[in-house]
Amino acid sequence: MKIFPFLLMLCLALCCQSASTWAQGNSAKADKHFNDFDYALALEEYKKLLDNGQPTLHITERIAHCYRLINQPGSAEIWYKQTLVFPNAAPVNLFYYANACRQNGKYEDAKQAYQRFAQREPSRKAEAERLMQACDMAMRWINRPLPVDVTRDSTLSSNFSDFSTVFYGNNLVFSSDRGQSSRDKKVYGWTGAPYLQLYQAERQSNKTWGPITPLENGINTQFHNATATFSPDLEEIFFTRTKRVKKRVLPQELTEEGSWQRYSKNDDFIDRLEIYTATLKKGKWQDVKPFIHSKGDVYSVGHPALSPDGKILYFVSDMPGGQGQTDIYYSVRQANGLWSAPVNAGPVINTPGKEVFPVVHADGTLFFSSDGHLGMGGLDIFSAKGSANQWQKVQNLYYPFNSPRDDFGLIYEKDGKNGYLSSNRGGDGSSDDIYKVGPSATPCQLVGATFVRLPSRNGRTQKVPVEAVNLDVIVNGDSANAFRTISNEDGKFQFTAKANQTYTIRGSKKGYLIKTIQVVPDCRKTTDTISVELVLDRSAYNQAIVLDNIYYDLDKHDLRPEAMQELDKVVDMLKDNPTIKIELSSHTDSRESHRYNLMLSQLRAATAVKYIISKGIDPKRVIDKGYGETKLLNRCKDGVSCSEEDHQLNRRTEFKIVR
């Protein structure tokens, strides 16, 4: 039921006092559901009150809160906007409204709301400005999406919540509240859906997934069971399960709305998360028991993720002493098989917000979701390199891995390119779904130019366009996909390319050395243009060609990184032209003695040639020669005062064809 602002204003003017009194006397049932975290049930009751009476701030605000807490930001945005009509609405409603706009991708509206919130709550100005920055960042990412396709998997996803995939041999295990048995008819008051259970699907020969069946009853109990991980030998499972705890033994802060896990409670009990383990014996999961560091009576522990070697278990907890609402922790498997005490993964990973759903890729990369690091709206997926509590800088995976809604649970196939993630990006009515992730084939235009490298007046080289170069293009190394184009009179050429395809372009022309380059176009949109250059050298005998970026530290002959990159081009040239032999020479300026310069240049030339040979080039095809100061390109000989720039001109590395 949508209540528009003008109607709310009218109601406030005519019957504010009577409506407030009526609501306070009739909302007890709805309030009890709300206070018990049964938000889906509370929402039904609050809407009934609206059907029978006038809207009040209390009811409007509670409906908005319910939609926020059951993660429906589309409806939450509408109802928080209604709360702002009331003159005595708390500023936090404006903050929640801004968050909902952001989760709905309405970044300009969100920025305006955050700005208004900062004016009303100066103590939180820095927080609001940070979120405004996140809005600008998200708009840039959406405008330049990564070349990745993210599509809903209709086989694995249902009308219910499906998420957190994990490979298990030839199967895929995931969490769902779809409900497939009579006991599943019992619903979870927070969402109104059945309780979460673990399901599996078997991969078929055509790479699709077969029938979906629940894991055995030893794993799936009558309440929530979800987010599993398996040992490398597939004989041990760790998963998340709820534990019913008497409310009176819990600290007050653990029974409040901000608590991590979203589980309903009643007057006497509250549900906490615990990690459980089981071992595979004779094809059945047996010895199901709590993980040694599960402490459901005090705090929650869930979302387990094993490292590739099975020696480190990462998990999420709201235990005291963390960085924020929920942190990622880890425990190490000892030589005796026991697990060490939990250790916080540290402030590089954890923030004052929520870090959840860790996944460790085969190469050791940690993927996790967070609303504390800057993101697009809800939970964003991040990556980090390292292990335990030693991590390098956290990296947002950008759009379309992430969306304005919640994104989490990224896993990859063995190829490291295709995989799955979980998201509720489908909108308020879609809940969590499983999405396929893979390289995009977005087309765009590849525009290139062919040049010849020639000596210039200053002794370096210059690029001059060269026409009529034959360009043989092979796609993804498959000669069956080859085609030819020719550069025009201006040295230009163009063809349609696709993202995530490898294009090998081989340029040839009589009188020139063959040149090959590889390009993987970064096509983000069909309107993109990718520019490339193909620079050839003449095949003239004994003509010196200066190599750019071959520099050495003073009085040193060690290769610098930029020099290696330039020498790699020489390696490629020798591979493209297997019949030539070259002399690679090094030259110095006139400073220092003639003998010293000759020795230093010879060492530099020998070092460069050694590098080239290390890349698989026959030693007989490359000669090293140091000329010292014997072939100066200008007047800067001994006794002549010259600028550093003039001296630099003489310190060069060249190659020439000697056969």
Side-chain angles (χ1 to χ4, degrees):
M1 181 177 179
K2 188 177 291 185
I3 306 296
F4 292 96
F6 72 88
L7 180 58
L8 279 173
M9 292 296 290
L10 180 64
C11 291
L12 285 171
L14 297 179
C15 52
C16 182
Q17 179 62 43
S18 60
S20 176
T21 303
W22 178 88
Q24 289 176 4
N26 291 273
S27 66
K29 184 177 180 181
D31 290 341
K32 183 179 187 303
H33 283 314
F34 186 91
N35 293 330
D36 286 348
F37 304 161
D38 291 333
Y39 299 116
L41 302 178
L43 190 57
E44 293 179 8
E45 296 300 326
Y46 285 126
K47 286 186 175 182
K48 288 179 183 178
L49 293 175
L50 281 183
D51 290 338
N52 298 312
Q54 300 296 340
T56 65
L57 174 58
H58 175 76
I59 294 176
T60 305
E61 189 176 64
R62 282 295 175 90
I63 291 175
H65 289 339
C66 285
Y67 277 121
R68 171 174 60 86
L69 291 163
I70 63 175
N71 208 13
Q72 293 191 19
S75 297
E77 176 193 337
I78 295 170
W79 285 94
Y80 277 120
K81 190 172 185 178
Q82 310 313 314
T83 68
L84 302 180
V85 175
F86 294 89
N88 58 334
V92 72
N93 290 306
L94 183 57
F95 181 78
Y96 289 145
Y97 169 71
N99 284 347
C101 288
R102 185 164 155 251
Q103 285 184 277
N104 293 323
K106 299 178 180 179
Y107 292 111
E108 290 294 349
D109 291 343
K111 286 176 62 179
Q112 294 177 12
Y114 284 130
Q115 191 170 31
R116 288 162 54 199
F117 175 73
Q119 293 170 351
R120 294 188 61 182
E121 291 287 337
S123 63
R124 298 180 67 178
K125 181 179 179 181
E127 179 185 5
E129 289 178 342
R130 183 172 179 270
L131 292 173
M132 291 169 64
Q133 177 189 348
C135 291
D136 289 333
M137 185 172 63
M139 288 188 285
R140 290 196 302 270
W141 294 346
I142 292 175
N143 189 52
R144 292 292 298 164
L146 293 177
V148 174
D149 289 332
V150 180
T151 55
R152 182 178 180 271
D153 190 304
S154 58
T155 302
L156 298 172
S157 298
S158 66
N159 293 328
F160 291 87
S161 185
D162 307 285
F163 61 94
S164 287
T165 53
V166 58
F167 292 114
Y168 176 59
N170 202 41
N171 292 1
L172 189 73
V173 173
F174 63 95
S175 309
S176 178
D177 61 5
R178 59 186 64 194
Q180 293 190 355
S181 67
S182 58
R183 76 177 184 187
D184 295 331
K185 293 180 180 179
K186 185 176 181 180
V187 299
Y188 167 32
W190 187 302
T191 64
Y195 284 90
L196 292 167
Q197 305 286 274
L198 286 166
Y199 291 81
Q200 63 181 335
E202 185 175 348
R203 195 192 301 272
Q204 305 298 295
S205 57
N206 59 358
K207 296 184 179 180
T208 60
W209 297 104
I212 296 171
T213 58
L215 267 61
E216 58 199 68
N217 292 340
I219 300 297
N220 287 324
T221 55
Q222 63 176 326
F223 296 113
H224 291 290
N225 300 273
T227 54
T229 186
F230 297 90
S231 61
D233 61 8
L234 305 181
E235 294 184 355
E236 189 175 19
I237 183 175
F238 295 77
F239 62 99
T240 306
R241 176 180 286 181
T242 57
K243 177 180 180 179
R244 309 212 74 186
V245 180
K246 287 189 176 181
K247 180 182 175 183
R248 63 176 179 269
V249 305
L250 294 170
Q252 178 62 32
E253 62 268 18
L254 292 181
T255 65
E256 296 175 350
E257 176 189 302
S259 184
W260 166 35
Q261 66 285 347
R262 298 178 173 184
Y263 295 107
S264 69
K265 65 180 181 60
N266 57 30
D267 292 340
D268 300 314
F269 296 93
I270 188 167
D271 291 341
R272 296 288 129 191
L273 300 186
E274 291 192 327
I275 294 175
Y276 271 68
T277 70
T279 54
L280 190 66
K281 298 177 181 178
K282 298 181 180 180
K284 296 289 185 179
W285 291 112
Q286 301 181 31
D287 193 25
V288 181
K289 61 184 179 182
F291 176 57
I292 189 172
H293 298 301
S294 291
K295 304 289 183 183
D297 290 341
V298 185
Y299 50 76
S300 284
V301 172
H303 300 185
L306 277 169
S307 61
D309 61 6
K311 294 181 179 179
I312 301 178
L313 182 70
Y314 296 93
F315 54 87
V316 177
S317 178
D318 56 3
M319 67 177 66
Q323 305 286 333
Q325 295 180 49
T326 63
D327 282 13
I328 294 175
Y329 291 79
Y330 70 92
S331 181
V332 178
R333 196 193 298 261
Q334 307 297 302
N336 59 4
L338 298 179
W339 292 93
S340 67
V343 178
N344 192 286
V348 173
I349 296 291
N350 295 314
T351 70
K354 293 193 291 285
E355 278 68 51
V356 288
F357 295 106
V359 176
V360 189
H361 189 49
D363 66 359
T365 300
L366 174 68
F367 296 111
F368 66 97
S369 291
S370 171
D371 65 5
H373 296 281
L374 280 184
M376 297 187 67
L379 292 170
D380 272 26
I381 304 173
F382 295 82
S383 67
K385 295 287 188 180
S387 66
N389 58 358
Q390 300 297 315
W391 301 98
Q392 299 178 18
K393 186 177 181 180
V394 168
Q395 179 67 55
N396 190 297
L397 295 195
Y398 307 132
Y399 181 82
F401 282 104
N402 290 315
S403 70
R405 297 293 180 99
D406 291 335
D407 305 285
F408 56 97
L410 175 63
I411 65 170
Y412 275 109
E413 302 269 11
K414 292 180 180 179
D415 63 6
K417 297 179 181 179
N418 297 280
Y420 296 89
L421 62 77
S422 305
S423 177
N424 65 348
R425 64 182 65 190
D428 278 8
S430 69
S431 192
D432 295 320
D433 284 318
I434 297 169
Y435 286 77
K436 291 184 288 189
V437 176
S440 170
T442 303
C444 67
Q445 291 301 303
L446 189 148
V447 177
T450 54
F451 298 92
V452 60
R453 183 164 51 175
L454 298 174
S456 65
R457 292 182 178 180
N458 64 5
R460 292 305 184 193
T461 59
Q462 59 180 335
K463 294 185 301 184
V464 178
V466 58
E467 64 177 343
V469 176
N470 295 314
L471 300 159
D472 295 297
V473 183
I474 298 178
V475 185
N476 291 332
D478 186 356
S479 57
N481 296 327
F483 62 91
R484 170 174 282 194
T485 185
I486 301 174
S487 62
N488 64 18
E489 62 274 12
D490 298 319
K492 301 294 180 63
F493 65 94
Q494 181 175 339
F495 58 84
T496 299
K498 294 182 178 180
N500 294 303
Q501 308 290 310
T502 300
Y503 294 84
T504 303
I505 306 174
R506 184 177 186 267
S508 61
K509 183 178 181 179
K510 187 176 181 180
Y512 295 81
L513 296 174
I514 295 171
K515 180 64 177 289
T516 301
I517 61 172
Q518 278 194 341
V519 183
V520 181
D522 185 18
C523 301
R524 307 289 183 89
K525 298 181 178 180
T526 57
T527 55
D528 284 352
T529 298
I530 308 300
S531 299
V532 298
E533 291 184 353
L534 194 145
V535 182
L536 290 80
D537 293 305
R538 289 190 183 276
S539 58
Y541 174 76
N542 213 31
Q543 176 180 301
I545 300 293
V546 176
L547 297 175
D548 298 324
N549 301 321
I550 304 291
Y551 303 119
Y552 298 88
D553 294 328
L554 184 63
D555 293 335
K556 299 289 181 63
H557 60 84
D558 299 318
L559 289 175
R560 291 162 58 172
E562 60 269 28
M564 295 179 187
Q565 295 175 10
E566 193 68 22
L567 290 174
D568 285 337
K569 298 177 184 178
V570 177
V571 172
D572 292 338
M573 181 268 293
L574 289 167
K575 290 180 179 179
D576 287 335
N577 302 270
T579 63
I580 68 170
K581 180 178 180 179
I582 67 169
E583 175 191 276
L584 190 139
S585 59
S586 180
H587 304 261
T588 68
D589 59 34
S590 61
R591 292 177 291 189
E592 299 294 344
S593 68
H594 175 79
R595 182 177 180 181
Y596 176 82
N597 285 334
L598 199 62
M599 177 191 69
L600 181 61
S601 64
Q602 182 60 46
L603 286 171
R604 288 175 172 175
T607 300
V609 168
K610 183 178 180 181
Y611 178 82
I612 292 172
I613 293 172
S614 73
K615 297 297 181 177
I617 300 301
D618 187 344
K620 296 178 181 178
R621 297 182 60 201
V622 193
I623 301 171
D624 56 78
K625 181 67 175 178
Y627 286 95
E629 58 184 276
T630 62
K631 291 191 175 185
L632 300 176
L633 296 176
N634 52 28
R635 62 184 181 83
C636 298
K637 60 184 179 180
D638 290 338
V640 177
S641 177
C642 288
S643 66
E644 180 58 34
E645 183 179 358
D646 288 335
H647 281 304
Q648 177 65 55
L649 185 62
N650 291 315
R651 299 196 301 272
R652 65 196 187 280
T653 299
E654 301 173 341
F655 80 88
K656 61 184 178 182
I657 299 173
V658 295
R659 186 186 70 191

